[in-house]
Amino acid sequence: MDMTVSTHVQEGEALDVGDFLLWILVWSELAAFGILLVAFMVAGIVQADQFAAARVHLNVPLAALNTAVLLTSGWQAARAARPGATRGQARGALVVAALFGLLFVAIKLFEYSGEIGHAGDEAYGVFFELYFLLTGFHLLHVAFGALVLLLVSWRTSRANVILITTLWHVFDLIWIVMFPLVYLV
Amino acid sequence: MADGSSRRLARSWLILLALTGASVLAVRFGGAAGGTAFVLGLSMLKVRLVILDFMGLRGQAAMSRALLGWCLVLALGGAAKAIAVVMSAG
C-alpha cells in the first residue's frame, strides 16, 4: 500500500454516529447491563423485605453527587465532540471529562468502603452481591473509559473523539437508569 | 456526536443537574407510589436530554427511539417491580 492509499484509508475511517460497529458495541453494553438490571429487579420482588432493609445502608446523597459528577463529565465530552470545537478545545474538554470520570470512581470507591461490610450478610439476601456486581461492572467501564478519554486527548482525531464520547454517553445513560432502580425505587 | 452549541449543552447540563436533585427530593419527601412514578419519569427526561443533546441524535430518529426504548423498558420494569412489592406486602 503506498502512502497515498494509506492516507486515504485513514481519512476514510472517520466515524460518525451511523457507524455500524460502534452501535454494535453500544448495544452489547446495553444488553449486558439490561440483563443485570432485570436480574436485580426480579430479585427485588422475590426478596422484597431483605432488599428494603439493605437499601437503608446505601448512601443516596453520595450516589446523587456521583450522578451530578458523571453528568458533568458527559457535558464536557459533548463539548469535545461538537462539530465547531477546535482541536485544542476538544483536548481540554476531554481532559476535564476524564478527570470527572476519575472523580466518579474515587467517590464510588469511598461509598463502597461504607457498604462492603454488609456483603454476605444473610439478612439482606442477595442485595449486596448484585449491587456490587452491577455497580462494580459499571465502575470498571467508567474507569477504563476515563483512561481512554485521556488517551484520546493526547492522540486527538475526530473519529476517536466521536467513538469514545458516544460510549461515554452510553455509560451516562446506564447510570441514569441504574440510579433510581438501585438506590431509590 | 453532540450537535448543539456550547450554550445549549450548558443549558442541558443544568437541567440534568436540577432533575437529579428533584429525583432525590421526590424520594425523600414524596409518597411511595407517586414518588416512584415521578422519579422514573424524571429519569426518562434525563435520558432524553442525554440522547438528543449530548449524543446529538436529534436527526437520527431510529437510533434515538431505540435508546429511549431501552431506558423506557427498564423504567417500566422498575415501576412494575414497585407495584408488585406493594401488592405482595398489602
Side-chain angles (χ1 to χ4, degrees), chain B residues 3-88:
Chain B
D3 64 354
S5 66
S6 283
R7 186 173 294 181
R8 181 180 191 152
L9 292 174
R11 190 191 63 188
S12 299
W13 169 65
L14 288 172
I15 294 171
L16 285 164
L17 293 186
L19 292 173
T20 302
S23 300
V24 176
L25 290 177
V27 168
R28 183 153 289 184
F29 300 112
T36 298
F38 187 63
V39 165
L40 293 173
L42 290 180
S43 295
M44 290 309 298
L45 288 177
K46 288 160 72 178
V47 159
R48 189 171 181 277
L49 276 173
V50 169
I51 291 171
L52 296 183
D53 289 346
F54 283 8
M55 297 181 84
L57 292 178
R58 250 174 224 287
Q60 302 214 10
M63 188 56 73
S64 60
R65 282 179 192 158
L67 288 171
L68 271 171
W70 181 86
C71 299
L72 183 62
V73 165
L74 288 168
L76 289 174
K81 178 216 152 193
I83 292 168
V85 168
V86 169
M87 286 179 69
S88 64

Side-chain angles (χ1 to χ4, degrees), chain A residues 16-18 23 26-27 29-31 33-34 37-38 40-42 44-45 48 51 55 60-61 64-65 67-69 71-79 81-83 158 162 165-167 169-170 172-174 176-177 179-181 183-185, chain B residues 1-6 8-11 13 16-17 20 23-24 27-28 35-36 39-40 42-44 46-48 50-51 53-57 60 63 66-82 84-85 88-89:
Chain A
D16 60 23
V17 285
W23 290 111
V26 165
W27 282 100
E29 296 290 346
L30 293 176
F33 277 100
L37 282 166
V38 168
F40 187 84
M41 286 190 282
V42 170
I45 295 171
F51 270 51
R55 198 169 268 129
V60 176
L65 173 67
T67 304
V69 167
L71 289 172
T72 304
S73 178
W75 168 46
Q76 290 300 312
R79 289 186 68 234
R82 75 187 197 280
R158 183 82 188 139
I162 292 171
T165 56
T166 300
L167 279 174
H169 295 311
V170 170
D172 259 356
L173 286 182
I174 292 166
I176 288 171
V177 174
F179 174 60
L181 294 180
Y183 287 87
L184 305 180
V185 177
Chain B
M1 160 176 61
D3 64 354
S5 66
S6 283
R8 181 180 191 152
L9 292 174
R11 190 191 63 188
W13 169 65
L16 285 164
L17 293 186
T20 302
S23 300
V24 176
V27 168
R28 183 153 289 184
T36 298
V39 165
L40 293 173
L42 290 180
S43 295
M44 290 309 298
K46 288 160 72 178
V47 159
R48 189 171 181 277
V50 169
I51 291 171
D53 289 346
F54 283 8
M55 297 181 84
L57 292 178
Q60 302 214 10
M63 188 56 73
L67 288 171
L68 271 171
W70 181 86
C71 299
L72 183 62
V73 165
L74 288 168
L76 289 174
K81 178 216 152 193
V85 168
S88 64

Side-chain angles (χ1 to χ4, degrees), chain A residues 151-183:
Chain A
L151 189 65
V152 171
S153 74
W154 175 52
R155 299 288 295 267
T156 311
S157 74
R158 183 82 188 139
N160 287 340
V161 171
I162 292 171
L163 176 65
I164 186 56
T165 56
T166 300
L167 279 174
W168 195 248
H169 295 311
V170 170
F171 303 159
D172 259 356
L173 286 182
I174 292 166
W175 181 257
I176 288 171
V177 174
M178 189 190 296
F179 174 60
L181 294 180
V182 171
Y183 287 87

